[in-house]
């Protein structure tokens, strides 16, 4: 007679939750000098023209570095040398025209060329550790240097165009 083998207990593998797909924020249109993209998922990339960028990406530039990005709504952001900027949120709803973009300027400068006027429920926001600037339809430069408590609010926003074409609101 043949004996049946005893059933062995098999440990169940833990169920892995699927990670949501990264949200595409736009594309690199130009990169110069030493710069890199620290991806939210971990890998680090050297920015190249045509490369996709995603929400959560942080752009870091050295003394000779500069990165230009076209966001999904057609606006541009230019990360200046010696800067760190994270794309925190980008949503563009083609059906309703609603657009919401939020950047976190960790250090240095970022220039934003906002494609169309932002008003009502549409927002284009650049925040620093000490202030938040809301941009409405303009060519706008924001800068922040850690430790510059007195100068941060004075230098957080500099208009390139003159009112009424430019509008910014600084909130505490």
């Amino acid at each position: 007679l043949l004996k049946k083998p005893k059933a062995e207990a098999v440990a169940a593998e833990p169920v892995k939750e699927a990670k949501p797909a990264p949200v595409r924020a736009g594309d690199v249109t130009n990169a110069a000098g030493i710069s890199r993209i620290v991806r939210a998922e971990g890998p680090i990339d050297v920015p190249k023209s045509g490369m996709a960028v995603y929400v959560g990406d942080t752009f870091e530039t050295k003394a000779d570095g500069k990165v230009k990005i076209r966001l999904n709504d057609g606006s541009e952001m230019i990360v200046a040398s010696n800067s760190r900027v994270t794309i925190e949120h980008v949503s563009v709803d083609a059906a309703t025209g609603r657009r919401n973009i939020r950047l976190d300027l960790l250090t240095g400068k970022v220039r934003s060329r906002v494609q169309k006027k932002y008003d009502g429920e549409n927002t284009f926001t650049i925040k620093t550790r000490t202030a938040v600037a809301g941009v409405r339809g303009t060519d706008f430069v924001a800068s922040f240097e850690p430790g510059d408590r007195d100068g941060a609010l004075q230098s957080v926003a500099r208009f390139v165009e003159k009112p009424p074409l430019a509008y910014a609101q600084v909130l505490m």
Side-chain angles (χ1 to χ4, degrees):
L1 293 169
L2 295 173
K3 290 186 178 181
K4 284 186 177 179
K6 292 183 181 179
E8 293 183 26
V10 177
E13 288 187 33
V15 177
K16 293 182 182 177
E17 292 185 31
K19 292 183 182 178
V23 176
R24 189 172 182 153
D27 299 289
V28 173
T29 57
N30 194 9
I34 299 173
S35 56
R36 68 183 189 166
I37 304 171
V38 180
R39 303 283 187 180
E41 296 296 318
I44 297 173
D45 284 326
V46 175
K48 295 177 179 77
S49 186
M51 179 182 280
V53 297
Y54 300 91
V55 171
D57 286 354
T58 298
F59 298 85
E60 298 177 349
T61 57
K62 296 294 183 188
D64 67 341
K66 185 166 111 174
V67 180
K68 185 176 178 181
I69 298 111
R70 180 171 305 280
L71 298 170
N72 287 344
D73 75 333
S75 296
E76 291 179 335
M77 72 178 228
I78 302 166
V79 182
S81 59
N82 293 319
S83 298
R84 288 184 64 215
V85 179
T86 300
I87 300 174
E88 283 197 340
H89 180 83
V90 173
S91 64
V92 179
D93 186 334
T96 64
R98 190 170 293 158
R99 303 168 295 148
N100 294 294
I101 296 173
R102 187 172 57 250
L103 308 175
D104 186 1
L105 177 58
L106 303 164
T107 188
K109 291 182 183 180
V110 63
R111 180 177 184 174
S112 301
R113 292 181 179 153
V114 179
Q115 181 64 21
K116 297 178 181 176
K117 185 177 178 185
Y118 273 72
D119 55 10
E121 295 181 6
N122 298 311
T123 60
F124 190 106
T125 305
I126 300 173
K127 74 175 189 173
T128 69
R129 297 292 170 250
T130 58
V132 176
V135 183
R136 297 188 182 197
T138 189
D139 190 333
F140 182 86
V141 175
S143 65
F144 174 73
E145 296 299 327
D148 186 14
R149 291 181 164 212
D150 295 330
L153 286 177
Q154 295 167 359
S155 66
V156 73
R158 177 177 60 84
F159 293 108
V160 177
E161 295 183 53
K162 295 180 181 170
L165 298 175
Y167 173 84
Q169 182 179 16
V170 178
L171 306 169
M172 286 303 290

